[in-house]
Amino acid sequence: AQKVTQAQTEISVVEKEDVTLDCVYETRDTTYYLFWYKQPPSGELVFLIRRNSFDEQNEISGRYSWNFQKSTSSFNFTITASQVVDSAVYFCALQYQAGTALIFGKGTTLSVSS
Amino acid sequence: DAGVIQSPRHEVTEMGQEVTLRCKPISGHNSLFWYRQTMMRGLELLIYFNNNVPIDDSGMPEDRFSAKMPNASFSTLKIQPSEPRDSAVYFCASSGAYNSPLHFGNGTRLTVT
């Protein structure tokens, strides 16, 4: 069965701290896709990144970086020098076959205080 | 690009009433998804369509829920009769190319009293 686990329910940091959000997934498929979405207090779901199972290169986008490790079935998300605007719920998701629905984790609520 | 458009943004209704939620996907996208978000269960897939055809409706809670996609630019999710436990935020999402990400609408917050 396909499953996504975000063990951290809530994280609180102070501005400028680095923070890592964990994501562990389960799937028996050899081809799959992993995603991160951000849900700010306004409620919309914002796409951040998509990774396919054949691409284990880490990715950096500004203050955001993602570490994909198939050996541990993890796709962790790090925010460097966090800012108050990063406060949101972050969801990790798995798509076990292109064109199918995403299976979401329960989300991690990140609170960044000034 | 206007993005995925959902209406209404908020809906308050009384138990037993019929509720219809609407979604306009991004033009050119051929997959459409309905999700429900609650505190207890998180984001759950209700149903999704490919090329207007329902592919997986295993997440639809019960017969009170139905979804249609009469054409590529419109979908509805209907609840009849509504119950207080249906209170949630309902999201519609669409995707284009075979392995493109899902783009979500702003959601409809449903409150059933």
Side-chain angles (χ1 to χ4, degrees), chain A residues 68-102:
Chain A
F68 176 27
Q69 291 194 341
K70 289 179 75 171
S71 60
T72 56
S73 297
S74 65
F75 186 43
N76 296 337
F77 174 29
T78 297
I79 302 174
T80 303
S82 59
Q83 300 176 1
V84 172
V85 293
D86 296 327
S87 297
V89 182
Y90 290 86
F91 292 95
C92 181
L94 168 70
Q95 186 182 44
Y96 62 90
Q97 182 178 344
T100 62
L102 270 59

XYZ file of all heavy atoms in Angstrom, chain A residues 68-102:
267
model
N 16.318 13.881 -1.191
C 15.597 12.663 -1.553
C 16.539 11.489 -1.381
O 17.600 11.449 -2.029
C 15.113 12.772 -2.992
C 14.422 11.555 -3.537
C 13.756 10.665 -2.706
C 14.419 11.303 -4.893
C 13.110 9.553 -3.218
C 13.781 10.198 -5.426
C 13.125 9.319 -4.584
N 16.179 10.530 -0.534
C 17.003 9.345 -0.325
C 16.133 8.098 -0.453
O 15.343 7.791 0.449
C 17.671 9.398 1.053
C 18.731 10.478 1.172
C 19.616 10.304 2.395
O 19.241 9.603 3.338
N 20.783 10.921 2.387
N 16.298 7.394 -1.549
C 15.526 6.174 -1.764
C 15.871 5.107 -0.747
O 15.015 4.301 -0.379
C 15.754 5.649 -3.189
C 15.100 6.515 -4.250
C 15.370 5.988 -5.632
C 14.548 4.761 -5.927
N 14.653 4.372 -7.349
N 17.118 5.078 -0.291
C 17.542 4.030 0.643
C 16.764 4.067 1.944
O 16.559 3.043 2.597
C 19.040 4.157 0.929
O 19.323 5.417 1.508
N 16.321 5.264 2.309
C 15.544 5.408 3.550
C 14.101 5.820 3.270
O 13.349 6.128 4.189
C 16.191 6.452 4.475
O 16.321 7.692 3.761
C 17.557 5.988 4.956
N 13.728 5.838 1.992
C 12.369 6.237 1.585
C 11.987 7.574 2.204
O 10.915 7.728 2.789
C 11.343 5.162 1.979
O 11.612 3.964 1.310
N 12.879 8.518 2.084
C 12.611 9.824 2.679
C 12.767 10.936 1.653
O 13.559 10.837 0.697
C 13.545 10.069 3.865
O 14.882 10.144 3.452
N 12.007 11.989 1.869
C 12.052 13.164 0.987
C 11.896 14.373 1.893
O 10.819 14.943 2.031
C 10.943 13.073 -0.051
C 10.978 14.152 -1.108
C 12.169 14.539 -1.703
C 9.810 14.768 -1.528
C 12.206 15.522 -2.675
C 9.825 15.752 -2.507
C 11.025 16.127 -3.080
N 12.985 14.772 2.517
C 12.941 15.823 3.531
C 13.123 17.205 2.943
O 13.781 17.383 1.916
C 14.011 15.564 4.591
C 13.778 14.284 5.351
O 12.654 13.779 5.420
N 14.831 13.729 5.920
N 12.563 18.165 3.620
C 12.487 19.550 3.144
C 13.134 20.450 4.193
O 12.741 20.416 5.362
C 11.008 19.895 2.931
C 10.708 21.317 2.579
C 11.595 22.129 1.907
C 9.457 21.853 2.914
C 11.283 23.442 1.576
C 9.131 23.169 2.575
C 10.046 23.960 1.913
N 14.112 21.230 3.764
C 14.806 22.131 4.680
C 14.601 23.575 4.260
O 14.750 23.916 3.078
C 16.318 21.820 4.733
O 16.506 20.501 5.240
C 17.050 22.815 5.629
N 14.254 24.388 5.231
C 14.171 25.836 5.019
C 15.338 26.461 5.759
O 15.487 26.279 6.983
C 12.842 26.414 5.531
C 11.660 25.732 4.833
C 12.797 27.917 5.306
C 10.298 26.155 5.381
N 16.154 27.171 5.047
C 17.322 27.835 5.636
C 16.955 29.265 6.006
O 16.242 29.938 5.261
C 18.492 27.831 4.631
O 18.775 26.477 4.262
C 19.724 28.478 5.224
N 17.440 29.699 7.149
C 17.162 31.079 7.594
C 15.672 31.374 7.508
O 15.229 32.259 6.768
C 17.983 32.072 6.773
N 14.900 30.655 8.280
C 13.426 30.748 8.211
C 12.956 32.184 8.455
O 13.609 32.984 9.145
C 12.800 29.803 9.225
O 13.236 30.124 10.537
N 11.799 32.473 7.878
C 11.168 33.780 8.024
C 9.739 33.583 8.487
O 9.142 32.511 8.291
C 11.193 34.527 6.682
C 12.592 34.765 6.147
C 12.577 35.427 4.774
O 11.521 35.739 4.220
N 13.765 35.671 4.223
N 9.169 34.637 9.040
C 7.783 34.560 9.534
C 6.834 34.135 8.418
O 5.876 33.385 8.645
C 7.360 35.906 10.146
C 5.879 35.904 10.488
C 8.200 36.220 11.390
N 7.109 34.571 7.208
C 6.230 34.236 6.071
C 6.268 32.748 5.722
O 5.439 32.269 4.942
C 6.586 35.050 4.804
C 6.281 36.508 5.017
C 8.027 34.816 4.398
N 7.218 32.024 6.287
C 7.279 30.577 6.054
C 6.267 29.831 6.933
O 6.076 28.625 6.756
C 8.686 30.040 6.346
C 9.743 30.592 5.407
O 9.412 30.847 4.234
O 10.895 30.769 5.843
N 5.652 30.515 7.866
C 4.668 29.872 8.740
C 3.511 29.342 7.894
O 2.853 30.105 7.175
C 4.150 30.875 9.781
O 5.186 31.305 10.629
N 3.286 28.059 7.989
C 2.280 27.406 7.147
C 2.209 25.937 7.540
O 2.992 25.458 8.363
C 2.645 27.521 5.665
N 1.280 25.244 6.911
C 1.266 23.783 7.005
C 1.904 23.251 5.726
O 1.565 23.697 4.624
C -0.163 23.228 7.150
C -0.117 21.705 7.296
C -0.868 23.859 8.334
N 2.821 22.328 5.881
C 3.532 21.772 4.740
C 3.147 20.300 4.579
O 3.194 19.521 5.535
C 5.044 21.916 4.927
C 5.501 23.348 4.838
C 5.490 24.169 5.963
C 5.905 23.900 3.624
C 5.894 25.495 5.891
C 6.312 25.221 3.536
C 6.298 26.011 4.672
O 6.686 27.325 4.592
N 2.774 19.962 3.369
C 2.345 18.603 3.069
C 3.319 17.938 2.109
O 3.715 18.527 1.094
C 0.956 18.601 2.417
C -0.154 19.030 3.324
C -0.587 20.340 3.340
C -0.780 18.110 4.154
C -1.627 20.739 4.174
C -1.815 18.502 4.994
C -2.235 19.817 5.000
N 3.643 16.712 2.426
C 4.392 15.841 1.525
C 3.376 14.908 0.875
O 2.367 14.522 1.510
C 5.415 15.043 2.328
S 6.451 13.932 1.364
N 3.582 14.569 -0.388
C 2.609 13.723 -1.085
C 3.315 12.763 -2.036
O 4.403 13.040 -2.528
C 1.604 14.587 -1.861
N 2.643 11.649 -2.290
C 3.162 10.584 -3.159
C 2.177 10.342 -4.287
O 0.961 10.272 -4.055
C 3.330 9.299 -2.326
C 3.581 7.987 -3.057
C 4.975 7.984 -3.677
C 3.436 6.815 -2.090
N 2.694 10.227 -5.466
C 1.883 9.835 -6.626
C 2.522 8.567 -7.162
O 3.641 8.603 -7.679
C 1.886 10.937 -7.674
C 0.965 10.703 -8.851
C 1.072 11.827 -9.872
O 2.157 12.276 -10.205
N -0.058 12.288 -10.366
N 1.813 7.446 -7.024
C 2.452 6.177 -7.350
C 2.441 5.884 -8.833
O 3.123 4.983 -9.298
C 1.814 5.032 -6.555
C 0.356 4.799 -6.827
C -0.057 3.934 -7.824
C -0.617 5.439 -6.068
C -1.392 3.713 -8.069
C -1.952 5.223 -6.310
C -2.338 4.358 -7.314
O -3.658 4.150 -7.541
N 1.661 6.641 -9.563
C 1.632 6.462 -11.015
C 1.254 7.794 -11.626
O 0.322 8.450 -11.153
C 0.617 5.388 -11.388
C 0.540 5.080 -12.871
C -0.450 3.970 -13.172
O -0.851 3.238 -12.265
N -0.833 3.841 -14.411
N 1.959 8.219 -12.621
C 1.658 9.490 -13.262
C 0.205 9.506 -13.724
O -0.300 8.511 -14.256
C 2.599 9.723 -14.429
N -0.442 10.596 -13.497
C -1.833 10.731 -13.896
C -2.825 10.325 -12.831
O -4.027 10.521 -13.002
N -2.344 9.763 -11.751
C -3.247 9.365 -10.672
C -3.253 10.434 -9.580
O -2.545 11.426 -9.654
C -2.841 8.013 -10.078
O -1.519 8.138 -9.520
C -2.821 6.927 -11.137
N -4.057 10.173 -8.568
C -4.196 11.146 -7.486
C -2.980 11.114 -6.558
O -2.238 10.139 -6.507
C -5.456 10.856 -6.698
N -2.821 12.194 -5.828
C -1.769 12.278 -4.822
C -2.276 11.753 -3.488
O -3.423 11.985 -3.106
C -1.322 13.733 -4.638
C -0.182 14.233 -5.514
C -0.509 14.111 -6.976
C 0.179 15.665 -5.141
